[in-house]
Amino acid sequence: MEPEPPSQVRLGTARGAEVVKVAVMALYALLIAFGLCKALPLASIDKSNVFMAEYFCVRLHALFGAALACGLQHI
């Protein structure tokens, strides 16, 4: 007896576009909320903060790339 393949969630184009819209709106809402509570720096950013932000962004980009590559292997 053959094992069942893992269940997959398929959104489709219209539903996927809706999910992306909601995700982008949520990110903008968080950005506005953090800006209003002054959790984000508005000015006077020194070079060490920019360097650390670039460092974390590169690491996060690499992590998401690896996760995408792993996910594409299972298609």
Side-chain angles (χ1 to χ4, degrees):
M1 187 167 186
E2 224 175 279
E4 289 185 30
S7 61
Q8 297 178 356
V9 177
R10 300 201 185 265
L11 294 176
T13 305
R15 183 74 174 149
E18 206 53 42
V19 169
V20 169
K21 283 182 194 175
V22 170
V24 170
M25 288 172 53
L27 286 175
Y28 278 118
L30 283 173
L31 180 63
I32 291 169
F34 285 144
L36 289 175
C37 69
K38 300 191 190 245
L40 298 175
L42 296 177
S44 69
I45 300 175
D46 59 4
K47 288 188 177 190
S48 65
N49 284 342
V50 172
F51 175 77
M52 288 306 294
E54 288 176 355
Y55 174 79
F56 287 125
C57 287
V58 168
R59 297 293 183 244
L60 189 62
H61 183 76
L63 178 67
F64 281 132
L68 179 63
C70 289
L72 289 176
Q73 288 181 357
H74 297 289
I75 291 180

